[in-house]
């Protein structure tokens, strides 16, 4: 069995639009957080937009991290893409919930959802997320695309909380078991 792990950069008010986040200096603590994710990754699950952004930049990156990141299998949820140039990659053939439920039953390491807010939100609403790994930036942005749906509650259980020297806090949650 594979876990599906959503990883996002967000503001303290839950907005997950990277370009709106307060500026902080990337540091060794953030780098170690991303290295840990990569070491735990067996594949990526991406929406069309994030796939196209990543495919437009990551293949030209060099170094150990880039080599390992580029080599990960990529599952892409898109109805408009017909071909995927950034390999290894495959388009999901069935509905997102059905495809992800099937992927979770296979072997090959955890599946990380990087960005891809619409994918993350759909997976959260279908109960298909096993963990959330968040880098929470020190500031509220007031408006933008939230990670969490506003139409329902989602109970979470804290796994870890690690403050970084630049004001960012690394949080990891898992969905809380239903209370009886």
């Amino acid at each position: 069995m594979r876990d599906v792990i959503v990883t996002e950069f967000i503001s303290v008010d839950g907005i997950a639009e990277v370009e709106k986040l307060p500026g902080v200096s990337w540091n060794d603590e953030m780098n170690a957080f991303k290295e840990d994710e990569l070491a735990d990754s067996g594949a990526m699950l991406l929406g069309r937009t994030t796939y196209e952004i990543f495919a437009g930049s990551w293949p030209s990156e060099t170094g150990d991290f880039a080599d390992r990141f580029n080599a990960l299998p990529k599952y892409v949820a898109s109805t408009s893409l017909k071909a995927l140039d950034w390999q290894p990659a495959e388009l999901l053939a069935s509905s997102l919930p059905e495809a992800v439920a099937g992927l979770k039953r296979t072997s090959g390491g955890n599946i990380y959802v990087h960005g891809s807010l619409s994918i993350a939100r759909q997976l959260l609403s279908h109960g298909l997320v096993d963990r959330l790994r968040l880098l929470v930036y020190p500031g509220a942005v007031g408006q933008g695309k939230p990670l969490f749906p506003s139409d329902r509650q989602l109970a979470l259980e804290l796994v870890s909380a690690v403050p970084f020297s630049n004001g960012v806090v690394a949080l990891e949650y898992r969905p809380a078991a239903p209370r009886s």
Side-chain angles (χ1 to χ4, degrees), residues 12-13 19 21 24 33 37 46 48 55 57 65 68-71 82-84 90 97 99 122 134 151-152 155-156 180:
V12 295
D13 56 347
E19 62 277 358
L21 295 176
V24 298
F33 181 88
E37 284 183 347
L46 305 168
R48 179 195 52 82
S57 62
F65 186 95
R68 291 182 290 140
F69 194 75
N70 283 318
K82 302 301 177 213
L84 302 174
E90 71 178 74
Q122 288 178 64
L134 308 173
D151 61 343
R152 68 185 194 95
L156 301 172
S180 48

Side-chain angles (χ1 to χ4, degrees), residues 83-97:
L84 302 174
D85 296 329
W86 186 33
Q87 293 293 317
E90 71 178 74
L91 286 166
L92 297 179
S94 55
S95 71
L96 182 65

Side-chain angles (χ1 to χ4, degrees), residues 47-177:
R48 179 195 52 82
T49 302
T50 304
Y51 173 83
E52 288 178 332
I53 292 167
F54 283 12
S57 62
W58 275 104
S60 63
E61 295 292 325
T62 58
D64 180 59
F65 186 95
D67 292 346
R68 291 182 290 140
F69 194 75
N70 283 318
L72 283 173
K74 298 152 221 24
Y75 301 106
V76 183
S78 174
T79 55
S80 60
L81 289 176
K82 302 301 177 213
L84 302 174
D85 296 329
W86 186 33
Q87 293 293 317
E90 71 178 74
L91 286 166
L92 297 179
S94 55
S95 71
L96 182 65
E98 183 180 318
V100 171
L103 288 172
K104 286 174 63 101
R105 290 189 296 269
T106 64
S107 61
N110 293 325
I111 301 167
Y112 274 77
V113 179
H114 296 271
S116 300
L117 273 178
S118 64
I119 300 299
R121 289 173 60 103
Q122 288 178 64
L123 296 176
L124 284 165
S125 71
H126 285 93
L128 292 167
V129 174
D130 298 290
R131 281 186 284 151
L132 290 157
R133 290 182 51 111
L134 308 173
L135 285 177
V136 182
Y137 278 58
V141 297
Q143 64 182 19
K145 295 178 184 173
L147 170 59
F148 300 103
S150 60
D151 61 343
R152 68 185 194 95
Q153 292 184 351
L154 177 63
L156 301 172
E157 180 180 311
L158 183 65
V159 173
S160 66
V162 179
F164 294 162
S165 59
N166 62 0
V168 170
V169 178
L171 298 173
E172 185 167 346
Y173 290 98
R174 67 177 151 251

